[in-house]
Amino acid sequence: DRVPDHGCFLRLSFIFMPRRKIREYAAKHLLQKHIRDLDLRFRNVQVSPSTDLLKLKDDHLWLAHERLVVKPDMLFGKRGKNNLVLLDGTLPSAISFIQERMHQEVAIGNTLGEVTHFIIEPYVPHKEEYYLSIICKRDENTISFSPCGGMEVEENWDRVRHLGIGVDTNIDDLDVSPLLVGVSHEHVPVLSTFIRACYRVFVELDIHLLEMNPFTLDQSGQPFPLDMRCELDDCASFLHVEDWKVNGHDVEFPYPFGSKLHPEERLIHELDEKTGASLKLTILNPKGRIWAMVAGGGASVIYADTVADLGYGHELGNYGEYSGDPTQDDTFKYACTLLGLATREADHAKPRALLVGGGIANFTDVAATFNGIIRALKVYAGALQEANMKIFVRRGGPNYQSGLKNMRDACRDLEVPVAVYGPETSMTGIVQEAIAWIEKAPSTCA
């Protein structure tokens, strides 16, 4: 709670969590593409800032002949309660609705963000509104269903029925009828089939969360999700290169609503997508005086927590990590990006600190990655001196002795103050030294 609010934690959840949200448009596309036993025919159009609204009817002829629903597709819910849904509209009214709201800033709870994407769908007259969710938990998957879906589902949460399913259990071996208490008898067969079919897609595509609130039955009696959200398990992305494609393109993982990325964050994200290693960067405080170049996701959490626990979270400039044995070139690019941020707008009278920390690596070549960091230090040596920055190093693992020696020698030659430690020193010991450094009077920093 001592870290300033720069919208950073929205970005942290996006960058570091394997649960990755996708747009409603993509979720419905994947469900229709992979579902079996039912002939679902969803028609929808995604509208982005690059969409030519005047050509919509030429590219999608049905838009001119159907009543329409339009809503933002921006990873936030409660769109109806926030007056952000057009119901039973025509194509001209849909275009006007989008034009009036495109790039408009809206407040969803405490988050303010710009609306840039919409989804257009046919308007489906209906009476019933059902709720369905499937979520992956530690020991099982859970299906939840209610005959009272829609805007008031939370007020009627006592109507929601739950069914736990072991991860190795075949859905066809289970009776799902207990979920359907309160459903009209004639609708039970199609809803049972739909729930089973959705669960198969959930398992086969490594989905973490699949939720429809609500879904209904269209005029042909087929299920139709009126509102849908989906989170994919990013750890399984290598298994689903083709499965997750939407209209022939890789599925998009949008940034959370209200999140505005710095160019440096976007650069590292793009670099991360091109490498087999892991490279992450989130800027917390651009004017912070403690910066971290940490090896390993777990270590990055420990260092950030320690800085905050010692009362200096407000001085923490970034959160990030490099791991998975990145190449020297990738480490060089990552380090250059971070050093550029850490030395920007520096005041020599206010010393800064850089934590080059990590645990004891299992397979990452410490010397090789440190060589990439040393190359970056040479590029930014003057800036480091101007920023009155001292580097605090703690690392262990393959070739760590030579890596530490190279780091110590390079900083000496560059006239950049450094303190170097190996695995004989606790991981977080350098944090206290870094805090002591930035608190020193300028004349004593040497």
Side-chain angles (χ1 to χ4, degrees), residues 17-69:
M17 291 297 289
R19 298 168 53 174
R20 302 285 292 277
K21 294 181 180 181
I22 61 176
R23 297 193 193 277
E24 183 176 1
Y25 174 83
K28 292 181 175 179
H29 179 93
L30 293 181
L31 180 64
Q32 179 177 259
K33 176 181 175 182
H34 294 284
I35 200 166
R36 302 189 297 274
D37 302 327
L38 287 166
D39 184 22
L40 301 184
R41 297 181 181 273
F42 304 151
R43 290 177 296 172
N44 45 46
V45 177
Q46 185 178 65
V47 176
S48 69
S50 63
T51 302
D52 187 340
L53 295 176
L54 299 181
K55 292 184 178 180
L56 281 178
K57 66 179 180 180
D58 297 327
D59 298 333
H60 309 278
L61 297 177
W62 61 271
L63 290 174
H65 307 288
E66 299 264 3
R67 306 299 293 186
L68 304 173
V69 173

Side-chain angles (χ1 to χ4, degrees), residues 2-4 6 284-285 287-290 307-308 310-317 438-439:
R2 289 183 289 262
V3 178
H6 295 284
L284 303 181
N285 179 5
K287 296 183 179 181
R289 296 165 62 200
I290 300 175
V307 172
L310 293 175
Y312 283 80
H314 62 286
E315 292 287 10
L316 189 59
I438 69 170
E439 288 301 316

Side-chain angles (χ1 to χ4, degrees), residues 87-161:
L87 293 174
D88 197 16
T90 62
L91 181 57
S93 64
I95 291 175
S96 297
F97 181 88
I98 293 171
Q99 288 175 331
E100 291 169 3
R101 290 162 178 79
M102 181 67 76
H103 297 300
Q104 177 185 358
E105 280 198 336
V106 299
I108 304 298
N110 295 324
T111 302
L112 185 67
E114 183 180 307
V115 178
T116 58
H117 287 72
F118 296 82
I119 182 172
I120 307 176
E121 300 178 293
Y123 173 71
V124 179
H126 60 279
K127 296 180 179 179
E128 298 86 3
E129 289 191 345
Y130 305 109
Y131 170 84
L132 174 66
S133 74
I134 310 173
I135 187 168
C136 176
K137 297 182 178 179
R138 180 179 295 274
D139 299 318
E140 64 177 18
N141 299 324
T142 300
I143 301 177
S144 300
F145 175 86
S146 173
C148 297
M151 294 174 62
E152 309 304 326
V153 66
E154 294 176 358
E155 287 80 352
N156 294 281
W157 198 249
D158 58 315
R159 301 286 302 275
V160 179
R161 298 295 184 103

Side-chain angles (χ1 to χ4, degrees), residues 186-206:
E186 66 270 20
H187 294 158
V188 169
V190 67
L191 292 181
S192 297
T193 300
F194 183 58
I195 290 172
R196 294 179 188 276
C198 287
Y199 185 81
R200 293 190 196 98
V201 175
F202 175 87
V203 173
E204 291 169 5
L205 296 190
D206 284 299

